[in-house]
């Protein structure tokens, strides 16, 4: 079989295009680097993760980096569509007889994890960029993607001939690499210990092997580790990584690894390879820990280069709860890149300096107030750079007014009709609880510019609801349906519209206690759409619970207990008590108030007909409560309970148990129902 290089060159000779697919560990990046080193005039682009705000324009400006100052200036100006700019850059590359190699990280799947308006827009911008490149017929180019199994391939890939498609298989590495001390640095003893227990028949990809050495270096027993991994190896290259992820996270969160975890999180803010000297500045690591980062976590002894898929989940695994970014780490990375480009605008950078300029802009954008002055001095003409900083200020720093100011600047300097910036200007002003009139104006402007966008329409309605302007919200909801889906066909064709617009409006009505209005909005979603989506099923459950509470005048079941399980029989009380006496009556209920002397309850009679149910208030002395509930501890207010009386006149009160206890005690309940339960006791 031909080697990958020959297959790529053969595809280029036949049709000028090649599409290389490969899973993590298949050597896709190594192949891209090899192509760059060929005598041909090859230009290699490596893009940031897809859900990074600047991904598409990052690729565009990298592509233009070898075309000179004028081409860079034109590519960086948002005065024409992104796709048109990408096509012009591609045509200029073709004129210079360059072969373009575009490496897309593992996150570039085009459809996965798109959960919000920003995600949808970033996928759209990514496709505009790549379709623009593909539309230049004379361009010789190689696009390198992760494995794409979806039948809905983007047009620029689906139109490629079968002969241009090259799939790389995961490459297993030999066990003997564990004996190469120079490969592992200070982690060589850990690699050797793993090698001693690993049989020659065990086949691992390089990312899997390095993760295992990482764990052994952090104190994990290699035999135990191997036993955990071996069963997953037959399931494919992702499986062994997946089985190691929770263990990796648990080990990193041990107290003795606190500094290691925090240092890793800081250094993983780097999206592109950085030298170990910069790693040391970011983390303070020296000696063994610095060697561990370079030889185990990364793929190179001299620079830190982490596999895309490993970096993505490690960022989440190493983050602090409620962490608000790493502004000083971003500032340090910005300074590193600034030393290598030294330009205020992209057209003043040349060649490889363009990549450093792009990363400098990104890291200054995420550096919060520390880098605000430097970021403000940059000459930026592309909206993505403004979006990137504004999102960082809003999401990471919770600086909503700062984010709003950046969106204002984008509208003033780049495009006054950018619906995305108008919408998030309103969003951040709303979150800051300031300038409500300006926020509403921004929401309405976004809808005016992009009237069929479900996110913009839904946000305008929920804004009015949150302002207690219920009549205005009713009217705006009717108009939103007319703008987005006048015939009611889109909501029936799939779940996207209901997930992106309807559910937020229903949830907002419920939040304000307007249950009837929530029901009216929810009923515009077809039942078959609801039943296919877990999120919508949960919303239906929440709505039904609220309606039941309105009808009763009280809540006597936790909102998460499926309504289909209610009122039929007790879920938690024993059929017989410890004396062998049979349960006579039972009532669902809730603790209203508890004091040193008494506990006040409400319970409901479990009639089948909802109209016949009655709510009863009951006050128990502290002693009665302790005897019935079998505990001296006072319950918290709004604790849900079940109350039962037995044939021997005994009174029993059971607090709703934790899900794990319920699984053991009530095996007749299905797990789909149980997963909704919380710890109410």
């Amino acid at each position: 079989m031909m080697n990958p290089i020959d297959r790529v060159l053969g595809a280029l000779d036949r049709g000028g295009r090649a599409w290389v697919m490969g899973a993590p560990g298949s050597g896709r990046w190594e192949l891209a680097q090899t192509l760059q080193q060929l005598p041909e005039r090859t230009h290699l682009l490596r893009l940031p993760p897809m859900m990074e705000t600047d991904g598409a324009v990052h690729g565009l400006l990298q592509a233009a980096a070898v075309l000179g100052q004028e081409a860079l200036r034109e590519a960086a100006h948002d005065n024409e569509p992104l796709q048109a700019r990408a096509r012009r850059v591609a045509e200029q590359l073709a004129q210079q007889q360059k072969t373009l190699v575009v490496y897309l990280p593992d996150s570039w799947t085009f459809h996965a994890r798109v959960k919000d308006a920003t995600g949808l827009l970033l996928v759209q911008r990514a496709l505009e960029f790549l379709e623009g490149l593909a539309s230049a017929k004379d361009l010789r180019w190689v696009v390198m993607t992760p494995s794409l199994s979806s039948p809905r391939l983007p047009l620029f890939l689906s139109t490629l001939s079968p002969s241009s498609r090259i799939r790389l298989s995961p490459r297993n590495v030999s066990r003997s690499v564990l004996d190469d001390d120079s490969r592992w640095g200070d982690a060589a003893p850990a690699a050797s210990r793993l090698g001693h227990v690993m049989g020659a028949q065990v086949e691992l990809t390089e990312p899997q092997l390095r993760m295992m050495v990482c764990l052994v270096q952090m104190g994990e027993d290699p035999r135990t580790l191997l036993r955990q991994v071996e069963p997953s190896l037959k399931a494919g290259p992702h499986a062994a990584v997946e089985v190691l992820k929770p263990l990796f996270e648990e080990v990193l969160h041990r107290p003795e690894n606190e500094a290691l975890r925090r240092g890793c999180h800081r250094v993983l803010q780097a999206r592109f390879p950085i030298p170990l000297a910069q790693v040391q500045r970011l983390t303070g690591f020296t000696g063994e820990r610095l060697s561990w980062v370079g030889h185990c976590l990364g793929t190179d002894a001299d620079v830190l280069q982490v596999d895309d898929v490993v970096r993505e989940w490690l960022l989440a695994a190493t983050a602090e709860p409620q962490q608000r970014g790493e502004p000083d780490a971003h500032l340090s990375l910005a300074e590193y890149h600034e030393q290598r480009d030294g330009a205020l605008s992209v057209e003043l950078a040349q060649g490889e300096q363009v990549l450093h300029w792009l990363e400098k802009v990104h890291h200054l954008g995420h550096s919060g107030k520390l880098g605000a002055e430097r970021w403000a001095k940059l000459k930026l003409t592309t909206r993505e750079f403004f979006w990137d900083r504004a999102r960082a200020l809003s999401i990471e720093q919770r600086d909503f007014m700062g984010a709003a100011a950046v969106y204002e600047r984008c509208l003033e300097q780049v495009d006054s009709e950018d619906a995305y910036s108008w919408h998030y200007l309103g969003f951040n002003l709303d979150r800051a609880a300031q300038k409500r009139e300006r926020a509403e104006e921004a929401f309405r402007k976004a809808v005016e510019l992009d009237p069929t966008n479900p996110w913009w329409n839904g946000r305008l309605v929920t804004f009015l609801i949150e302002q207690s302007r219920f009549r205005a919200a009713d009217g705006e909801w009717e108009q939103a349906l007319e703008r987005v889906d006048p015939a009611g066909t889109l909501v029936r064709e799939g779940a996207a519209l209901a997930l992106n617009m309807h559910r937020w409006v229903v949830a907002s009505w419920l939040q304000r206690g307007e249950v009837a209005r929530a029901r009216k909005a929810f009923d515009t979603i077809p039942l078959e759409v609801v039943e296919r989506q877990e999120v919508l099923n949960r919303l239906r459950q929440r709505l039904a619970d609220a309606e039941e509470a309105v009808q009763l005048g009280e809540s006597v079941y936790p909102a998460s207990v499926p309504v289909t399980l209610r009122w039929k029989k007790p879920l938690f009380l024993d059929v017989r008590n410890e004396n062998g006496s049979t349960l006579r009556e039972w009532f669902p209920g809730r603790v209203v108030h508890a004091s040193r002397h008494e506990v006040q309850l409400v319970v409901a009679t479990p009639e089948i007909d909802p109209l016949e149910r009655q709510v009863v208030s009951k006050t128990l002395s502290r002693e009665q409560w302790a005897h019935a509930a079998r505990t001296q501890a006072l319950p918290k207010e709004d604790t849900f309970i079940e109350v039962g009386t037995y044939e021997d006149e005994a009174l029993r009160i059971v607090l709703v148990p934790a899900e794990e206890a319920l699984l053991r005690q009530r095996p007749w309940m299905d797990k789909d129902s149980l997963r909704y339960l919380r710890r109410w006791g």
Side-chain angles (χ1 to χ4, degrees):
M1 181 179 290
M2 296 173 63
N3 65 47
I5 288 290
D6 292 335
R7 293 169 67 190
V8 171
L9 295 178
L12 288 172
D13 290 341
R14 288 189 298 272
R17 303 283 165 95
W19 171 19
V20 180
M21 264 190 297
S26 62
R28 194 160 51 94
W29 174 242
E30 291 79 0
L31 176 60
Q33 290 177 301
T34 303
L35 287 169
Q36 184 185 28
Q37 295 166 4
L38 293 177
E40 297 187 16
R41 300 163 63 85
T42 303
H43 183 31
L44 172 63
L45 317 182
R46 181 178 184 176
L47 276 67
M50 190 172 201
M51 289 299 111
E52 296 276 7
T53 315
D54 61 345
V57 74
H58 204 290
L60 175 63
L61 296 181
Q62 280 190 66
V66 294
L67 296 174
Q69 189 176 72
E70 183 60 24
L72 270 169
R73 188 191 64 78
E74 291 180 353
H77 275 73
D78 252 344
N79 53 2
E80 62 178 322
L82 177 63
Q83 186 165 337
R85 286 179 281 151
R87 176 170 182 160
R88 183 169 58 248
V89 167
E91 288 172 343
Q92 290 175 287
L93 290 169
Q95 290 172 4
Q96 295 189 12
Q97 298 183 328
K98 292 187 180 293
T99 298
L100 187 65
V101 179
V102 181
Y103 177 86
L104 304 180
D106 294 301
S107 57
W108 282 65
T109 57
F110 302 102
H111 62 275
R113 294 170 302 147
V114 176
K115 300 176 181 178
D116 55 21
T118 300
L120 292 167
L121 182 59
L122 295 182
V123 171
Q124 176 188 326
R125 299 287 281 182
L127 290 173
E128 288 176 11
F129 163 59
L130 293 166
E131 298 288 359
L133 294 180
S135 65
K137 295 182 179 179
D138 294 331
L139 175 69
R140 285 166 54 91
W141 80 315
V142 182
V143 58
M144 310 189 78
T145 74
S147 295
L148 301 177
S149 56
S150 171
R152 298 170 297 170
L153 290 174
L155 183 64
F156 77 95
L157 292 175
S158 62
T159 55
L160 292 174
S161 66
S163 63
S164 68
R165 303 181 183 189
I166 301 161
R167 186 180 293 274
L168 302 180
S169 300
R171 299 184 309 175
N172 293 320
V173 293
S174 169
R175 178 207 158 282
S176 62
V177 301
L178 294 168
D179 299 324
D180 183 359
D181 290 355
S182 63
R183 184 186 181 101
W184 301 104
D186 288 349
S192 179
R193 289 198 302 275
L194 180 61
H196 286 155
V197 301
M198 184 179 291
Q201 73 278 9
V202 177
E203 296 182 340
L204 294 167
T205 63
E206 186 169 328
Q208 295 164 352
L209 191 67
R210 280 190 282 101
M211 287 177 67
M212 291 178 71
V213 175
C214 276
L215 286 165
V216 175
Q217 177 72 2
M218 288 191 289
E220 291 301 287
D221 177 64
R223 292 183 185 276
T224 304
L225 193 59
L226 196 59
R227 283 196 297 270
Q228 288 179 286
V229 169
E230 281 183 322
S232 66
L233 296 178
K234 295 180 181 179
H238 286 288
V241 173
E242 289 297 318
V243 81
L244 289 172
K245 284 167 63 173
L247 177 60
F248 218 108
E249 185 170 358
E250 187 272 323
V251 171
L252 281 171
H253 278 80
R254 292 174 185 168
E256 64 269 24
N257 290 326
E258 173 71 10
L260 183 63
R261 179 182 60 79
R262 294 184 63 185
C264 284
H265 190 72
R266 289 172 59 80
V267 79
L268 288 168
Q269 305 304 317
R271 305 189 297 183
F272 288 82
I274 56 173
L276 289 189
Q278 178 63 25
V279 172
Q280 186 174 5
R281 282 192 288 273
L282 279 168
T283 63
F285 291 169
T286 58
E288 182 179 313
R289 280 187 173 170
L290 188 62
S291 179
W292 179 86
V293 169
H295 290 86
C296 299
L297 192 62
T299 61
D300 194 299
D302 299 320
V303 299
L304 177 64
Q305 178 170 289
V306 183
D307 295 298
D308 305 319
V309 68
V310 174
R311 176 182 178 268
E312 182 179 350
W313 67 259
L314 266 182
L315 270 173
T318 55
E320 292 272 9
Q322 306 299 319
Q323 188 171 20
R324 297 188 175 183
E326 292 282 357
D328 58 328
H330 282 291
L331 183 62
S332 179
L333 286 164
E335 291 170 345
Y336 162 75
H337 289 291
E338 189 173 43
Q339 292 170 2
R340 286 150 182 81
D341 81 270
L344 291 179
S345 60
V346 68
E347 62 263 29
L348 299 179
Q350 299 178 10
E352 292 183 1
Q353 290 179 335
V354 171
L355 176 62
H356 290 291
W357 185 88
L358 290 164
E359 287 305 285
K360 174 187 69 179
V361 174
H362 167 74
H363 289 297
L364 284 177
H366 286 251
S367 64
K369 295 180 180 179
L370 297 177
E373 186 176 343
R374 296 190 200 184
W375 184 87
K377 291 179 179 178
L378 297 171
K379 296 181 180 179
L380 306 176
T381 53
T382 301
R383 68 195 69 202
E384 280 89 346
F385 298 138
F386 292 89
W387 294 351
D388 193 30
R389 177 162 175 81
R391 279 176 56 77
L393 288 171
S394 180
I395 297 170
E396 297 173 6
Q397 308 297 319
R398 303 293 192 269
D399 180 4
F400 301 118
M401 288 305 293
V406 175
Y407 284 120
E408 291 268 24
R409 182 175 168 186
C410 182
L411 291 165
E412 292 169 0
Q413 297 184 10
V414 179
D415 183 1
S416 63
E417 297 189 349
D418 177 19
Y420 180 91
S421 291
W422 277 112
H423 171 263
Y424 280 103
L425 168 61
F427 173 85
N428 281 280
L429 290 174
D430 183 29
R431 289 298 179 271
Q434 296 189 35
K435 300 183 179 180
R436 298 291 193 187
E437 291 183 1
R438 176 61 169 163
E440 182 177 347
E441 175 191 341
F443 286 134
R444 291 191 180 280
K445 186 67 174 179
V447 170
E448 175 191 330
L449 293 168
D450 188 7
T452 62
N453 188 296
W455 283 94
W456 308 166
N457 280 276
R459 188 80 76 182
L460 175 56
V461 175
T462 58
F463 171 80
L464 294 172
I465 294 171
E466 290 162 5
Q467 298 301 304
S468 297
R469 295 164 59 187
F470 296 160
R471 289 186 181 179
D474 284 336
E476 200 62 56
W477 174 240
E478 295 297 329
Q479 293 179 45
L481 291 174
E482 186 64 28
R483 287 188 293 261
V484 178
D485 191 18
T489 54
L490 291 178
V491 75
R492 292 193 296 269
E493 291 175 354
L497 182 57
L499 291 172
N500 295 335
M501 186 171 78
H502 294 64
R503 69 158 165 153
W504 299 111
V505 173
V506 174
S508 189
W509 281 128
L510 287 174
Q511 185 70 27
R512 302 295 291 183
E514 292 291 317
V515 179
R517 284 180 161 109
R519 168 56 68 184
K520 184 179 178 181
F522 187 84
D523 284 347
T524 60
I525 309 173
L527 181 60
E528 60 271 19
V529 174
V530 174
E531 291 179 340
R532 290 196 299 265
Q533 294 292 322
E534 182 180 335
V535 170
L536 297 179
N537 270 303
R538 289 201 299 268
L539 186 60
R540 175 169 59 177
Q541 160 70 22
R542 182 181 169 193
L543 175 58
D545 174 76
E547 288 174 325
E548 184 176 277
V550 169
Q551 188 176 54
L552 278 175
E554 290 284 356
S555 292
V556 294
Y557 276 103
S560 53
V561 171
V563 292
T564 55
L565 297 179
R566 301 180 184 186
W567 308 108
K568 298 175 182 178
K569 56 184 176 180
L571 302 179
F572 313 111
L573 285 165
D574 291 325
V575 177
R576 293 182 183 276
N577 65 15
E578 60 269 27
N579 299 323
S581 186
T582 304
L583 182 68
R584 183 173 62 194
E585 291 182 305
W586 67 277
F587 310 92
R590 191 180 88 257
V591 175
V592 176
H593 179 69
S595 68
R596 289 193 311 164
H597 304 294
E598 62 184 24
V599 178
Q600 297 174 12
L601 315 174
V602 290
V603 296
T605 58
E607 308 295 342
I608 298 300
D609 185 347
L611 296 178
E612 295 182 3
R613 295 169 190 156
Q614 297 182 16
V615 176
V616 179
S617 297
K618 182 72 174 177
T619 299
L620 301 181
S621 69
R622 179 73 179 271
E623 292 74 19
Q624 288 174 315
W625 167 267
H627 183 71
R630 310 294 195 269
T631 177
Q632 293 293 327
L634 279 175
K636 295 179 181 179
E637 292 184 4
D638 290 328
T639 294
F640 288 90
I641 57 176
E642 279 187 349
V643 180
T645 60
Y646 290 81
E647 295 292 346
D648 62 359
E649 303 300 328
L651 178 68
R652 182 77 173 96
I653 297 176
V654 177
L655 280 63
V656 174
E659 179 177 332
E660 297 80 6
L662 192 57
L663 278 169
R664 293 193 298 271
Q665 296 173 11
R666 299 291 186 269
W668 50 268
M669 292 184 69
D670 62 86
K671 290 186 179 180
D672 284 339
S673 298
L674 293 177
R675 61 192 170 85
Y676 293 112
L677 296 176
R678 302 172 185 167
R679 297 177 180 269
W680 294 92

